[in-house]
Structures are given as C-alpha cells and as structure tokens.
C-alpha cells in the first residue's frame, strides 16, 4: 500500500504558460501523448478564444465548454502522477491564469524562438516571481528560422528577471536544424522533420565522442563543442535547489509540433520539479503530509446549461487524503458538507473519485455555495492565503436596465463575482457599482450571462479611471484624513476593504506625494 508520503512525492502539479501562439496547446498535447493519456495528435482542442469569435457568443460558450474539459489533465508517467492545469489563452482572462498559478507547484514557460519573450509571458512570470514558483523554459519552434540561442538566453534573463541555465542545446536552427544535445543527460538526439516519427537518439559517451561528428558533420560538431564550452564558462553548474527556490530556470530547446525535445523536457521535469509544497494559511503553514485533509477553491466554472445554474468548483488539495462523502468544513459558512460526486480528470476522462491526494484537483458540483478562495478542511479553522485580486485595467459603471429584475441582477452580479469573472467596487460617495476587468471581453461575457442565466439586463456606463488601488496605513488618523479628502473617489471591494479610485496616473502620483503615510497596493494582498 502506498503511503500518503509516497502519493505526495510522486505528484507533479504544474501549468504551462505562454503568450498566445507560442505552442502551449501543442506542447500539452505532446505531453499527454507521452503519458498515454491520448493516442493521436489533434485530440486536445485549443481553448483559445480566437479574436474573430469575440462577437460570436455560441462560439465563446463552446470554448468555455472545452476549457472545462481541459481544465485539469491528470495522467501517470512512469511512477509519477502528473497534473497539468490549463490556463486560458486569451489575455482578457489573465486573472483566471493568475489564480490557477496559485494552485501549481511549478510552471513550464513556452517561448517562440523567433519572437522571444512576449508581453503576456512577462506578466505571468511576474506572478511566478511573486510566489517563487519554480519555472522551466521550453524554447519552441526550432524547426523555423529564429534567433540565435545565446541571444534568446540573454533576453530570457533580462526580460523574465531570472537566471537561466541551458540544459539542452540546439545544433543549428530553422532549415538547417539538426538536433539537440542534451546537457543534462549527455545524449544527442537527431531531428527528423516528421510529425509521426520520434527523433533518433545517437549513443555517445560525452561531447568529444566522434559519433557526434559522424551524425551532424565535423563543422557542426565543432560549433557544438565551442558553444558548450562557452555555456560551461558562462553559466554556473545547474543546481536543482536553486531551481526549486525559483532562482534559476533551466532551459530546453525543441519543437513541440515535431515532438522533438519534448521527452527530454518531460524526463527532466519529473525528476527535478517539486512535489506538492506546504501551503501558507493565515493561521499557520500546512504541510502536505499532515493527516487531516485541507484544500482551497481556486476556480469556479459555470455550467454550460443555462437551465441549471450549477457550477464546478475546482479544489486543490493541500494536505491529507480527500475522501468522497467524508464530512468537511466549509470555513466561510461554518457548515459541514459532504461531497457525493467529486470528479477528477484522468487520461482525458472525467470520473467520480473516491479519494485524492495533495497536488490533485477535484471538481465539486456546486450550486452557489463556493466562492473563489474558500477553504475546506477536516475541521480545523484555516484560511489559505495567496489568491490576490489584481487591480483591473478597465472599469465601467453597471446599471440596471430592467427595474422589474433588480433582485435577479443583484444575485447574478454576486455570483459572477464569486466565480471571479471580474471585480466589483462600490463607490462610497454615490453608491454606484463599478465593475473592473482585465479585458473588454469580460464586459460582454457578464452582460450575456446576466441575461441568459439570471434573466437580468444590465447597461454599461463609462467611468474614466486609471487604477483602483487598495490602501492602508499604520496611522489611522492619516487614513481617515485621506479618505475624507478623497471621499468622492473612495470605494470598497467585496470584502469591505478600502479602495482608492485614481482617475489618472498624475492624480495617483500626487496622492502618493501628499500622503506619504498611506500605502497604495495594486494587488489585494499585501
Ligand atoms: P498556443 O496554445 O500557445 O496559443 O499555441 P498552439 O499550440 O496553438 O500553437 C500555435 C501555432 O504554432 C500552431 O499553428 C501550431 O501548429 C504551431 N506550432 C507549435 N509548435 C510548433 C513547432 O515546434 N514548430 C512549428 N513550425 N510550429 C509550431 P497554427 O497554424 O496557428 O494552428 P494549427 O492550425 O496548426 O493548429
């Protein structure tokens, strides 16, 4: 019988993140192929909401359905149990991605060799850095013309603000791409541009083996040796502890589409990536090996069927063993709940599970009980931290269009905010409700869902806002003075925290200058 510790140490829970089109979906699919979770390429649908589909609601609903199915992909690989948490590709749903990152123990970042570090990768990396999440970088599309690998490494280091350490190295790139030398295992894989055929491995003793010259030609072999010497000179030896502390990111090169360099990535990943780590609760740190179950809700997904307003709450297990039908305490309400039909996703199939372990995600059917960030335990009062809200980018007043349906509107707004679709602020001066989002698409989603799921109609009215920032101070008098002076621009968030609505960057700068005792925060957790 495997013990709890065995179950924990074999688990690897991670997310793949990238700027759209770098190859996240393709890489995910290839990992699933290796795990035997799928058998043919093309089985994983991209959950990208293509730009052209923004006004096509059925399309968005369909896409949402796909993303439920691919929310968590669990499979066994050798002795390991791997859980890949999917993140939405569309940047308007970046907040979803941030929250998913709170439920993973590590991350693989995919970068396009021609494009290098792009905007969304940079932002997601900031979230990883905040949490010291270990990252591995996969430089993709080596079969296409792209940039010099050394240049890419410099860019990764500068833009992602993390030390890098190549663990594999390409021999040429684009049309002349011949393969990858695996620095981690001292092996050589030759590239065959064929999606059906996996690469050919050349047995070599070390980098000086003449078999390399035979396989790739003398000139390329010499260049490879030169490059490797330079790498050894410039980059310190790879240290797995530094990687696990989030200080250094190992880098692999390959081509996801050609299933090239993917197995090397996966084999190294399972060896070095961390198993579930302790989770910080407000009260104390919770270790995965603790006997008593605990977990938190990091995502709530609305049902596709508008007639049944049920959702799936995704719970990340932090400690102990989760058991079906066992009594668990829902900390926010204080109620004891039993879950008769928790689901897990294994090998692309959703099925009811009897038990699950730290690192696993279970889906719990929900009819409005859960809110993002809720904690469940075997009885202890714990509140898991680390689900910050970020200051939204776009703001609009939400108004009721149908006075007969104000209750429905209220309820709809509440539940959509519980799901984490957007953020609600109430202006303390005029009592008006303001919805903040990271993208235009969310306003459309909210309006559509309010109508279709709650029968309520809303109207958006413009508000000119630069940022919403959470404020606090050690000096209660300074805080009171600030709130008095800025009373027209003060709001509260759903937890009742003070939020300052700055209508321009200038106003914010001035406020910071004039009120040095006030701290302004751009995330809700500080
Ligand atoms: P994403 O999830 O990060 O948005 O990217 P996705 O995997 O959908 O890949 C984006 C495009 O890049 C896809 O082409 C995909 O086939 C291609 N691609 C992925 N990996 C590689 C690679 O190693 N080499 C090359 N040359 N291309 C790669 P598409 O035309 O946009 O989509 P599709 O019609 O092929 O699905």
């Amino acid at each position: 019988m495997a013990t709890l510790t065995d179950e924990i140490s074999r688990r690897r829970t991670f997310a793949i993140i990238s700027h759209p089109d770098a190859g996240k979906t393709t890489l995910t699919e290839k990992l699933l192929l290796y795990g035997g979770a799928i058998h043919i390429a093309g089985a994983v649908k991209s959950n990208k909401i293509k730009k052209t589909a923004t006004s096509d609601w059925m399309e968005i609903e369909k896409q949402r359905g796909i993303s439920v199915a691919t929310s968590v992909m669990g499979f066994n690989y050798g002795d390991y149990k791997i859980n890949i948490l999917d993140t939405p590709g569309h940047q308007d749903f970046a907040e979803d991605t941030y929250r998913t990152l709170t439920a993973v123990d590590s991350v693989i970042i995919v970068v396009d060799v021609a494009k290098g570090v792009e905007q969304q990768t940079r932002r997601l990396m900031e979230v990883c850095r905040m949490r010291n999440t270990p990252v591995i970088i996969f430089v993709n599309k080596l079969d296409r013309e792209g940039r010099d690998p050394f240049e890419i490494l410099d860019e990764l280091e500068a833009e992602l603000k993390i030390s890098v350490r190549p663990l594999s190295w390409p021999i040429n790139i684009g049309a002349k791409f011949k393969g990858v030398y695996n620095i981690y295992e001292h092996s050589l894989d030759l590239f065959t541009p064929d999606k059906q055929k996996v690469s050919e491995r050349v047995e070599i003793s070390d980098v000086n083996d003449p078999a390399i010259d035979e396989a790739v030609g003398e000139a390329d072999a010499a260049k490879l040796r030169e490059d490797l010497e330079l790498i050894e000179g410039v980059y310190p030896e790879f240290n797995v502890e530094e990687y696990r502390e989030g200080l250094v990111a190992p880098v692999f090169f390959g081509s996801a589409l050609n299933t090239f360099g993917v197995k090397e990535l996966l084999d190294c990943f399972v060896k070095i990536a961390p198993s579930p780590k302790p989770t910080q609760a407000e009260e104390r740190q919770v270790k995965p090996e603790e006997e008593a179950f605990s977990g938190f809700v990091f995502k709530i997904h609305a049902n596709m069927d508008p007639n049944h307003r049920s959702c799936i709450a995704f719970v990340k297990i932090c400690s102990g063993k989760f058991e079906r039908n066992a009594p668990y305490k829902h900390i926010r309400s204080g109620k004891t709940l039993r879950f008769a039909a928790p689901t897990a996703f294994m090998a692309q199939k959703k099925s009811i599970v009897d038990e699950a372990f730290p690192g696993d995600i279970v889906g719990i059917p929900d009819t409005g009980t859960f809110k993002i960030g809720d904690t469940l335990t075997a009885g202890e009062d714990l509140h898991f931290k680390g689900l910050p809200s970020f200051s939204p980018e776009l703001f609009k007043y939400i108004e009721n269009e149908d006075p007969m349906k104000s209750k429905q509107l209220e309820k709809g707004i509440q539940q959509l905010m519980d799901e984490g679709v957007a953020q609600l602020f109430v202006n303390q001066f005029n009592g008006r409700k303001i919805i903040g989002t990271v993208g235009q698409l969310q306003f459309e989603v909210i309006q559509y869902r309010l109508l279709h799921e709650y029968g309520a109609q809303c109207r958006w009215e413009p508000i000119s806002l630069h940022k919403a920032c959470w404020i606090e101070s050690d000096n209660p008098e300074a805080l009171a003075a600030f709130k008095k002076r800025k009373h027209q621009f003060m709001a509260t968030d759903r937890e009742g925290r003070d939020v300052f609505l700055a209508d321009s960057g200038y106003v914010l700068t001035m406020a910071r200058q004039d009120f040095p005792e006030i701290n302004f925060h751009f995330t809700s957790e500080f």
Side-chain angles (χ1 to χ4, degrees), residues 131 278-286 290 293-297 316 318-319 329-335 371-388 495 497 525:
R131 310 176 53 82
T279 317
Q280 190 63 44
E282 274 168 32
E283 294 78 1
R284 65 184 184 85
Q285 199 183 53
V286 179
E290 292 178 22
F293 158 77
S294 67
F296 66 89
V297 177
K316 156 93 187 261
C318 299
S319 69
K329 186 168 174 186
H330 178 234
I331 303 298
R332 190 167 49 81
S333 67
K335 285 190 190 136
K371 215 166 130 170
I372 293 258
D374 279 0
T375 302
L376 285 170
T377 72
E380 186 180 348
D381 278 330
L382 291 172
H383 297 81
F384 285 112
K385 302 195 338 178
L387 288 155
E495 320 302 329
R497 288 174 294 213
E525 234 169 63

Side-chain angles (χ1 to χ4, degrees), residues 222-255:
K223 171 83 169 59
L224 173 68
R225 291 186 186 110
E226 202 178 293
D227 284 355
L228 292 176
E229 204 172 306
L230 192 57
I231 290 167
E232 299 308 325
V234 172
Y235 297 97
E237 185 110 8
F238 174 63
N239 177 325
V240 74
E241 284 317 313
E242 283 177 7
Y243 153 70
R244 287 189 187 150
E245 285 165 30
L247 298 173
V248 62
V251 181
F252 286 84
F253 292 85
S255 166

Side-chain angles (χ1 to χ4, degrees), residues 132-248:
N132 301 322
T133 309
V135 301
I136 295 181
I137 301 170
F138 183 72
V139 180
N140 191 27
K141 307 198 186 181
L142 267 285
D143 58 316
R144 286 226 198 123
E145 297 309 322
R147 310 239 299 270
D148 176 68
F150 280 110
E151 197 188 303
I152 287 280
L153 290 179
D154 287 347
E155 180 172 315
L156 290 170
E157 213 154 50
E159 297 276 335
L160 300 181
K161 301 192 181 70
I162 186 165
S163 301
V164 296
R165 178 41 159 119
L167 288 188
S168 81
W169 196 250
I171 301 167
N172 296 331
I173 181 167
K176 293 202 212 107
F177 180 49
K178 288 198 180 152
V180 162
Y181 181 83
N182 187 333
I183 301 174
Y184 187 64
E185 291 183 339
H186 296 287
S187 57
L188 178 69
D189 286 293
L190 295 183
F191 177 67
T192 34
D194 179 350
K195 283 166 215 149
Q196 306 308 322
K197 202 169 129 207
V198 179
S199 53
E200 185 190 334
R201 173 154 292 197
V202 181
E203 291 305 327
I204 51 168
S205 50
D206 63 22
V207 67
N208 294 316
D209 197 321
I212 302 181
D213 301 68
E214 259 171 56
V216 301
E218 271 176 32
D220 285 333
K223 171 83 169 59
L224 173 68
R225 291 186 186 110
E226 202 178 293
D227 284 355
L228 292 176
E229 204 172 306
L230 192 57
I231 290 167
E232 299 308 325
V234 172
Y235 297 97
E237 185 110 8
F238 174 63
N239 177 325
V240 74
E241 284 317 313
E242 283 177 7
Y243 153 70
R244 287 189 187 150
E245 285 165 30
L247 298 173
V248 62

Side-chain angles (χ1 to χ4, degrees), residues 24-33 37-48 66 69-71 73 84 86 348:
K24 177 170 74 79
T25 311
T26 312
L27 180 64
T28 307
E29 179 176 290
K30 297 306 161 88
L31 293 175
L32 294 175
L33 273 171
I38 54 169
H39 299 287
I40 44 156
V44 178
K45 295 282 177 301
S46 164
N47 74 1
K48 271 186 289 186
I66 290 165
T70 59
S71 277
M73 290 160 278
I84 306 181
D86 195 23
Q348 294 260 293

